[in-house]
Amino acid sequence: MFTLSLLAQCVASLKGWRSFVLAVGVGALASCAMAPFHLWVALIVAVPVLVWMLDGVTLGKTGVSSKWQVMARSFGVGWAFGFGFFLAGLYWVGHSFLVEAERYFWLMPFAVVLLPSWLAVFTGLASALTRCFLWVVGPRRTLALAAVWAAFEWLRGYGPFGFPWNLTGQTLGGEVVLMQMLSVVGVYGAGLLVFGLAASPSTLCDPRLEEDSLESTPSSKVWWPVVWFALFAGWGVWGADRLGQSVVAEVNPLTVRIVQPNVLQEEKWQAHRQEEFLMRLLAMTQQSSALPEGVIPSVIIWPEVAITGLLSERPALQSILGASLQKTSVLLTGSLYRQGGYYYNSLFVLNHGGSIIARYDKRHLVPFGEYLPARDVFKAIGLKALAQQRGDFASGEGDVLMTLSSPTPDVPNVPTFRPLICYEIIFPEAIHPTADRASWLLNITNDGWFGTSTGPWQHLDQARFRAVEQGVPVIRAANTGISVVIDAEGRILENLPLNTQDIIDAPLPPARKSTLYGRWGDSLFFALLIGFVLIALPGCRASQALNPLIKRERI
């Protein structure tokens, strides 16, 4: 009779290319837990298989391998899992090279394969270190793996080359009730807990123990998954209660208009169509409002680089933009900026008179998209063609909070907000706690680079996570979609689908009181991390008993 124990032993006994193919396959399956699918069952199937494969690293006719052999094989299993996970989850990155295929198509294989290969190093290291130093019999091995896995997710999300995409915590995007835990522990802490839950079914059997089977001692095996699912049920009850709590809105809420022009990326920079696209934006800005009579949008928001070229060096265009606004409205638009020979990806704020009253320069640039890391190194090793591709942008400076208010009617009173351009919304640490807390977040972006793929949906989830973490609404204006109004609990109140030309007129949702995560950042995540490791450590002493147990492992 086929049992779960037999399946675990079959998985653990795989070697060579069979092991590699299985690891890549279940890694790819796990990516289905991300947006837009949000299939949690995929993660709950994939992670136990990973645990059993790591259990089987020392299985073989040669007996117990050396620690270095165990580390190498464990790294291989973790790397293959990560490669499949990131390859399937980030395939859409290659779509950007199809926009100007005649110039950049040859770079597509490098992007599609090298990025997952690099990110998989982190999953490989997490697997190797856990398997060598924290692996024990029983449930504690899943706690250890969850802790080290989450720690390496945090590491790959930070630093100048950080890329916190496809984090385990991002699987919560389809469960707004469970998503509320981000207000306490953030996306990294949520990932730690989600990984622990997903790994818990693996404790139903341990393929290293000959007598291990579901039929032998079922009560001793089922309790661990039951505890985890009960924990998440408790989170769900708390999350539902949080969603049900009313938030007091301002007496006169700010009204915003999001303009989604739906300009295809391959057409965006064509010189002969610039006037057409500008007229489209202006017409949509002056379009009749769906708001109650007498209420006009105070803030008009255009997406990232809605105006191609250098807005600050075109006073005539500034006057045209100002004339399109009501006297008590302002325009927030993306454009390029030049200073001292450097170019910036910027957000401009213009008033009715056409004057630029504020500007924000993007601080966190996209590696290989907006700048090339180690350009001189690429030239030195002979990759001159790569080094000569798209020019670099310069990075803005300082943490920016914008407040637009004036005693004159030329500028509406706009609550303090934090601007984030495109990629910047994916970094939890980009929203630093300050004395003057932002009342809302503004995210202008252009996901037109990635077409109708999973990329825009994943990017949207990132914006929702920031809303929950900070307890503030997010207004997102995207060139081709998905433009949304997100409340302080991560719920989408208004949205424009992909590849749609339209506007959103809506009041700005109210902010909540500062969240635990907003005040303490990742401190609670690190506390959880330490707690998991401390629980796992006592079992490591008992792991010396593994040697006689391994002698009884099935070949």
Side-chain angles (χ1 to χ4, degrees):
M1 179 179 176
F2 189 82
T3 65
L4 185 63
S5 180
L6 180 59
L7 173 64
Q9 290 169 8
C10 290
V11 167
S13 64
L14 290 177
K15 299 293 183 292
W17 67 268
R18 293 179 178 83
S19 174
F20 178 83
V21 169
L22 178 62
V24 172
V26 294
L29 175 65
S31 71
C32 293
M34 300 291 173
F37 311 109
H38 295 128
L39 297 177
W40 255 39
V41 66
L43 199 67
I44 294 175
V45 169
V47 174
V49 172
L50 172 65
V51 173
W52 293 331
M53 293 184 76
L54 292 175
D55 280 332
V57 163
T58 55
L59 290 177
K61 296 180 180 179
T62 58
V64 181
S65 303
S66 71
K67 181 169 288 189
W68 290 111
Q69 289 174 318
V70 171
M71 181 174 288
R73 291 177 60 188
S74 300
F75 177 87
V77 169
W79 185 91
F81 181 95
F83 180 74
F85 180 70
F86 294 116
L87 182 66
L90 298 173
Y91 77 92
W92 48 266
V93 172
H95 193 283
S96 64
F97 295 93
L98 300 177
V99 173
E100 299 178 63
E102 68 281 1
R103 297 179 60 189
Y104 300 117
F105 181 77
W106 68 275
L107 288 171
M108 183 178 176
F110 294 97
V112 172
V113 176
L114 290 181
L115 179 60
S117 297
W118 162 244
L119 297 177
V121 170
F122 291 89
T123 59
L125 290 173
S127 301
L129 293 177
T130 307
R131 185 63 183 85
C132 282
F133 301 106
L134 293 173
W135 209 250
V136 298
V137 174
R140 287 177 176 174
R141 73 194 194 281
T142 63
L143 288 183
L145 183 59
V148 180
W149 194 275
F152 273 91
E153 283 197 330
W154 183 87
L155 286 173
R156 74 172 171 88
Y158 276 74
F161 306 120
F163 191 65
W165 207 293
N166 274 34
L167 301 175
T168 308
Q170 289 165 11
T171 60
L172 294 175
E175 305 290 340
V176 69
V177 170
L178 292 177
M179 198 193 302
Q180 302 309 303
M181 72 171 67
L182 273 70
S183 66
V184 179
V185 295
V187 69
Y188 294 109
L192 173 63
L193 296 172
V194 168
F195 195 96
L197 171 69
S200 63
S202 66
T203 62
L204 293 172
C205 55
D206 189 328
R208 295 169 295 176
L209 304 180
E210 186 174 351
E211 69 277 9
D212 210 9
S213 68
L214 282 174
E215 292 77 18
S216 57
T217 54
S219 61
S220 65
K221 302 174 185 302
V222 175
W223 70 269
W224 188 252
V226 168
V227 168
W228 270 107
F229 279 90
L231 173 65
F232 269 73
W235 272 113
V237 171
W238 175 82
D241 178 69
R242 186 174 190 268
L243 289 172
Q245 296 172 5
S246 60
V247 182
V248 179
E250 299 175 7
V251 177
N252 296 308
L254 177 75
T255 55
V256 301
R257 168 168 291 186
I258 303 172
V259 177
Q260 182 172 298
N262 193 34
V263 176
L264 299 180
Q265 190 60 34
E266 52 266 32
E267 301 174 352
K268 184 178 179 70
W269 293 89
Q270 294 177 1
H272 67 283
R273 304 198 64 181
Q274 297 304 300
E275 183 177 354
E276 172 193 344
F277 296 147
L278 177 60
M279 291 301 103
R280 182 186 301 181
L281 287 162
L282 291 173
M284 297 175 73
T285 297
Q286 296 175 316
Q287 188 174 321
S288 298
S289 175
L291 294 168
E293 185 177 355
V295 179
I296 62 172
S298 303
V299 176
I300 313 297
I301 304 171
W302 291 3
E304 178 187 15
V305 195
I307 299 174
T308 55
L310 302 167
L311 176 61
S312 61
E313 299 180 14
R314 301 172 65 184
L317 177 56
Q318 294 173 34
S319 297
I320 293 173
L321 298 180
S324 71
L325 302 174
Q326 299 286 338
K327 289 185 178 180
T328 56
S329 299
V330 291
L331 171 66
L332 280 61
T333 181
S335 186
L336 303 182
Y337 176 67
R338 178 170 59 188
Q339 184 179 45
Y342 294 96
Y343 289 86
Y344 298 85
N345 185 351
S346 303
L347 168 74
F348 291 88
V349 184
L350 290 85
N351 64 9
H352 172 69
S355 299
I356 297 175
I357 60 176
R359 190 190 81 248
Y360 166 74
D361 301 324
K362 186 176 182 181
R363 294 183 299 129
H364 208 136
L365 303 175
V366 181
F368 300 99
E370 292 176 313
Y371 79 101
L372 180 65
R375 179 182 294 272
D376 293 338
V377 174
F378 282 105
K379 288 182 178 180
I381 62 177
L383 296 179
K384 294 182 180 179
L386 177 60
Q388 292 170 358
Q389 296 305 310
R390 303 166 183 169
D392 289 351
F393 283 98
S395 177
E397 297 180 358
D399 185 33
V400 175
L401 286 176
M402 285 188 171
T403 301
L404 307 179
S405 60
S406 171
T408 69
D410 294 335
V411 180
N413 288 320
V414 178
T416 301
F417 68 97
R418 186 182 301 276
L420 298 165
I421 299 178
C422 190
Y423 181 71
E424 292 182 308
I425 196 74
I426 76 172
F427 295 93
E429 75 277 10
I431 308 171
H432 301 290
T434 60
D436 299 319
R437 179 176 179 246
S439 296
W440 57 291
L441 305 178
L442 171 65
N443 179 217
I444 60 171
T445 186
N446 178 20
D447 289 350
W449 287 101
F450 309 114
T452 308
S453 67
T454 59
W457 292 98
Q458 294 174 5
H459 200 186
L460 170 62
D461 269 2
Q462 300 267 24
R464 298 174 65 203
F465 298 146
R466 302 296 87 81
V468 180
E469 287 170 346
Q470 300 298 324
V472 297
V474 175
I475 304 297
R476 185 176 195 261
N479 173 34
T480 56
I482 308 165
S483 299
V484 291
V485 176
I486 305 171
D487 71 8
E489 292 80 31
R491 292 172 291 201
I492 297 176
L493 305 181
E494 303 280 350
N495 80 90
L496 293 175
L498 277 173
N499 306 319
T500 302
Q501 177 184 323
D502 208 344
I503 62 171
I504 292 176
D505 286 336
L508 176 70
R512 299 180 67 102
K513 293 182 179 179
S514 180
T515 63
L516 286 176
Y517 184 83
R519 295 193 298 270
W520 296 349
D522 287 322
S523 300
L524 290 176
F525 160 65
F526 289 120
L528 277 174
L529 204 66
I530 294 171
F532 273 41
V533 172
L534 290 178
I535 294 173
L537 278 176
C540 295
R541 299 172 184 173
S543 67
Q544 300 300 322
L546 265 180
N547 288 341
L549 290 173
I550 290 175
K551 291 179 181 178
R552 294 186 284 123
E553 289 176 341
R554 293 183 176 179
I555 305 301

